[in-house]
């Protein structure tokens, strides 16, 4: 069941910016007017501009940013997860262009999402454009254009919706922040193994090998 967020409409542009995590103005869409956008607007924009994905946050369309490097890291992780799921059929994986309605007024596009079968209703339509299937695990590969406040807000929203585990991947430091709640985090470096814990029992990936393979430009001679 979706959770409704009850906030009074912002009275100033500064208040709106603060709520959205101080994202740059060029990522905030003005049509429809901020505060009036709906899930249907997300879908219309995806159909009209498939290369520009917009999340729905408190009735505002906010453009999602992701670069080439971030995309490659996400793709490599998806490959590893799909290989794991071939042997452990416990759920499904979606990529960065897969929207999830996590709250009544929110649609998010995690860079990688794992959804356990227990979170998907029986007889669910695989063609559902914006499923209300809350990810068990949500992964975000941080971009240079993501603000710190934006990612704090997103983290809070994920856990409010019922996400159990969140990984924030930071390309410049080759590290992964593992969150079990908005306030409980451990940071792993490229000397560590990333573990699926109870969400993905037995899943382990070397952070160093993940980054090395995902960001390789040419094979070593």
């Amino acid at each position: 069941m979706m959770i409704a967020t009850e906030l009074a409409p912002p009275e100033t542009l500064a208040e709106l910016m603060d709520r959205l995590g101080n994202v740059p103005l060029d990522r905030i869409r003005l049509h429809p007017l901020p505060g009036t956008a709906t899930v249907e607007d997300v879908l219309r924009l995806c159909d009209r501009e498939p290369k520009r994905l917009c999340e729905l946050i408190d009735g505002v369309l906010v453009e999602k940013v992701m670069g080439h490097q971030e995309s490659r890291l996400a793709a490599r992780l998806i490959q590893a997860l799909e290989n794991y799921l071939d042997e452990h059929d416990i759920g499904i994986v979606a990529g960065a262009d897969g929207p999830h309605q996590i709250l009544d007024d929110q649609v998010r596009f995690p860079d990688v999402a794992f959804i356990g079968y227990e979170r998907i209703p029986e007889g669910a339509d695989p063609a559902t454009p914006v499923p209300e299937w809350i990810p068990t695990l949500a992964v975000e590969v941080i971009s240079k254009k993501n603000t710190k406040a934006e990612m704090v807000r997103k983290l809070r929203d994920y856990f409010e919706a019922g996400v159990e585990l969140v990984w924030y991947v930071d390309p410049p430091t080759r590290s992964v922040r593992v969150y079990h709640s908005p306030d409980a985090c451990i940071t792993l470096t490229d000397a560590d193994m990333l573990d699926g814990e109870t969400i993905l029992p037995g899943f382990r990936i070397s952070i160093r090998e993940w980054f090395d393979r995902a960001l390789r430009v040419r094979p070593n001679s």
Side-chain angles (χ1 to χ4, degrees), residues 110 112 135-142 151 154-160 162-169 176-182 184-186 194 197 199:
V112 182
T136 319
L137 164 70
V139 183
E140 296 284 350
V141 185
I142 309 299
M151 300 313 293
K154 183 174 287 193
L155 187 68
R156 186 179 73 244
D157 293 340
Y158 277 145
F159 283 107
E160 180 182 347
V163 176
E164 294 184 28
L165 185 64
V166 177
W167 294 342
Y168 274 7
V169 183
V176 181
R177 299 197 299 276
V178 177
Y179 290 91
H180 299 91
S181 76
C185 167
I186 61 171
L194 183 59
E197 304 179 24
I199 306 299

Side-chain angles (χ1 to χ4, degrees), residues 9-183:
E11 296 186 359
T12 66
L13 182 58
E15 185 179 348
L16 174 65
M17 294 288 292
D18 182 66
R19 286 191 187 181
L20 297 178
N22 295 316
V23 298
L25 287 172
D26 61 3
R27 289 177 52 202
I28 300 174
R29 303 296 288 247
L30 295 180
H31 303 287
L33 289 173
T36 68
T38 65
V39 175
E40 288 70 29
D41 293 313
V42 174
L43 291 174
R44 279 195 290 270
L45 190 60
C46 287
D47 290 339
R48 190 172 70 244
E49 300 180 54
K51 294 185 178 180
R52 301 184 68 179
L53 304 177
C54 282
E55 297 185 312
L56 176 66
I57 309 170
D58 301 341
V60 183
L61 293 180
V62 179
E63 187 172 343
K64 176 181 172 66
V65 291
M66 190 171 186
H68 183 75
Q69 175 179 241
E70 296 91 327
S71 175
R72 291 174 64 186
L73 284 164
R76 185 66 179 176
L77 180 60
I78 289 173
Q79 180 183 20
L81 289 170
E82 290 287 14
N83 290 341
Y84 168 87
L85 292 174
D86 285 342
E87 301 295 328
H88 307 81
D89 189 16
I90 60 174
I92 61 175
V93 173
D97 53 357
H100 301 260
Q101 186 174 0
I102 64 169
L103 298 167
D104 274 344
D105 56 359
Q106 288 205 39
V107 174
R108 295 290 191 174
F109 289 77
D111 294 326
V112 182
F114 164 73
I115 308 99
Y117 285 140
E118 72 280 359
R119 294 184 170 224
I120 303 174
E122 290 189 17
D125 184 355
T128 303
V130 186
E132 297 180 4
W133 311 335
I134 306 302
T136 319
L137 164 70
V139 183
E140 296 284 350
V141 185
I142 309 299
S143 167
K144 291 180 180 179
K145 292 185 178 181
N146 287 130
T147 69
K148 182 177 179 180
E150 169 190 14
M151 300 313 293
V152 168
R153 163 74 193 264
K154 183 174 287 193
L155 187 68
R156 186 179 73 244
D157 293 340
Y158 277 145
F159 283 107
E160 180 182 347
V163 176
E164 294 184 28
L165 185 64
V166 177
W167 294 342
Y168 274 7
V169 183
D170 187 48
T173 61
R174 294 171 62 102
S175 64
V176 181
R177 299 197 299 276
V178 177
Y179 290 91
H180 299 91
S181 76
D183 304 312

